[in-house]
Amino acid sequence: MASLETAAEHERILREIESTDTNCIGPTLRSVYDGQEHGLFMEKLDARIRNHDREIEKMCNHHFQGFVDSITELLKVRGEAQKLKSQVTETNRHLQENGKELTTSMEELRQCRVQQRNIATTIDKLTHCLPVLEMYSRLQEQMKAKRYYPALRTLEQLEQTCLPKAGQYRFCSIMAENIPKLRIQIRDTAMSQLRDFLESIRKHSDKIGETAMKQASIIWGMLFHGSAG
């Protein structure tokens, strides 16, 4: 009975030592040494210390294993991070290359659009210039064929309609400057040929010559009026 009480007392003292501040365990230890069973208490204390050592070791082993597992996971994460970094670097390289290709394509597209606008502008200008050239070619053919009255009409149309629509071009300016000269040339050539014709008629018939002179006066008036216009 006494040993059970002693064991219970020792257990109480051990719990008190475990749960009490070290500055306050003096009276507790004194009660142990005042008794007759302090040797038994020391055995219990050693057993309790060994038990706590095992608990501490177990706890350390548990946390150490967790630490090792964490390091292992960290190494795995590091490896994955390296792979991800390589993938990001490769993706960035592809983006840079594709970006350069896109920039080149956009520049080529811009140049194509500029060329397209230039072509459209050229076609528009040619649309206004071609009638001038066609009209001038017709004028030359009419003069070559000695069709002077149609030539005067063509010259008038060229001067008043075609050239103003064509715009400010060098060849248009030259044509405009030559129109008065061409008109005088047509008039003089027509009158010269008319005089030759009348002279030939006069040699054959005075009456025909008189009638022809009247017609010449009329034609002369028409030509002169056309040149003045």
Side-chain angles (χ1 to χ4, degrees), residues 10-11 13-15 17-18 25 29 33 40-58:
H10 288 171
E11 184 65 27
I13 293 172
L14 288 173
R15 286 199 300 270
I17 291 173
E18 291 173 343
I25 63 174
L29 294 176
Y33 284 98
L40 181 60
F41 176 77
M42 292 301 297
E43 292 177 1
K44 287 183 175 292
L45 181 60
D46 289 338
R48 184 62 62 88
I49 290 173
R50 287 193 298 273
N51 184 54
H52 281 299
D53 286 341
R54 285 193 297 271
E55 291 294 331
I56 291 172
E57 183 178 359
K58 185 186 297 184

Side-chain angles (χ1 to χ4, degrees), residues 169-229:
Y169 293 101
R170 178 62 178 168
F171 77 93
C172 292
S173 300
I174 294 174
M175 285 185 184
E177 292 174 358
N178 287 334
I179 283 178
K181 299 177 182 178
L182 289 172
R183 184 177 286 113
I184 293 173
Q185 179 183 349
I186 293 172
R187 185 189 63 188
D188 292 346
T189 303
M191 290 306 301
S192 176
Q193 291 184 359
L194 182 59
R195 289 192 190 96
D196 292 342
F197 174 75
L198 292 177
E199 184 65 26
S200 175
I201 294 297
R202 188 180 293 113
K203 290 179 180 180
H204 294 84
S205 173
D206 293 339
K207 188 174 182 180
I208 293 176
E210 182 179 353
T211 304
M213 287 298 294
K214 292 180 181 180
Q215 294 294 327
S217 297
I218 296 173
I219 295 174
W220 172 264
M222 292 175 59
L223 290 173
F224 183 77
H225 178 71
S227 64

Side-chain angles (χ1 to χ4, degrees), residues 31-228:
S31 65
V32 173
Y33 284 98
D34 288 343
Q36 300 297 322
E37 303 294 338
H38 62 276
L40 181 60
F41 176 77
M42 292 301 297
E43 292 177 1
K44 287 183 175 292
L45 181 60
D46 289 338
R48 184 62 62 88
I49 290 173
R50 287 193 298 273
N51 184 54
H52 281 299
D53 286 341
R54 285 193 297 271
E55 291 294 331
I56 291 172
E57 183 178 359
K58 185 186 297 184
M59 186 178 297
C60 289
N61 288 336
H62 173 72
H63 288 291
F64 178 75
Q65 185 61 41
F67 175 74
V68 171
D69 293 340
S70 298
I71 293 297
T72 303
E73 291 296 325
L74 183 60
L75 291 175
K76 290 181 180 179
V77 171
R78 181 183 179 184
E80 294 297 327
Q82 291 293 337
K83 292 180 181 179
L84 182 60
K85 180 180 179 181
S86 299
Q87 292 176 358
V88 170
T89 302
E90 185 67 15
T91 302
N92 181 64
R93 185 180 65 81
H94 285 303
L95 286 175
Q96 293 292 335
E97 293 177 355
N98 294 334
K100 291 179 181 178
E101 293 178 359
L102 179 60
T103 301
T104 302
S105 299
M106 291 180 65
E107 178 62 22
E108 292 176 353
L109 178 60
R110 187 190 67 82
Q111 293 179 358
C112 288
R113 287 179 176 174
V114 171
Q115 293 176 356
Q116 185 179 15
R117 286 196 298 269
N118 292 340
I119 291 172
T121 302
T122 302
I123 292 174
D124 181 67
K125 293 183 181 300
L126 285 175
T127 302
H128 292 88
C129 291
L130 286 177
V132 174
L133 299 176
E134 292 174 355
M135 192 69 64
Y136 189 79
S137 177
R138 183 189 305 172
L139 174 64
Q140 295 296 322
E141 291 176 358
Q142 290 171 342
M143 291 177 64
K144 185 177 181 180
K146 299 180 181 181
R147 299 174 60 221
Y148 298 114
Y149 182 73
L152 286 174
R153 299 293 298 175
T154 301
L155 191 65
E156 180 180 359
Q157 188 176 0
L158 179 65
E159 180 182 24
Q160 297 181 3
T161 304
C162 296
L163 285 175
K165 290 183 178 180
Q168 301 297 323
Y169 293 101
R170 178 62 178 168
F171 77 93
C172 292
S173 300
I174 294 174
M175 285 185 184
E177 292 174 358
N178 287 334
I179 283 178
K181 299 177 182 178
L182 289 172
R183 184 177 286 113
I184 293 173
Q185 179 183 349
I186 293 172
R187 185 189 63 188
D188 292 346
T189 303
M191 290 306 301
S192 176
Q193 291 184 359
L194 182 59
R195 289 192 190 96
D196 292 342
F197 174 75
L198 292 177
E199 184 65 26
S200 175
I201 294 297
R202 188 180 293 113
K203 290 179 180 180
H204 294 84
S205 173
D206 293 339
K207 188 174 182 180
I208 293 176
E210 182 179 353
T211 304
M213 287 298 294
K214 292 180 181 180
Q215 294 294 327
S217 297
I218 296 173
I219 295 174
W220 172 264
M222 292 175 59
L223 290 173
F224 183 77
H225 178 71
S227 64

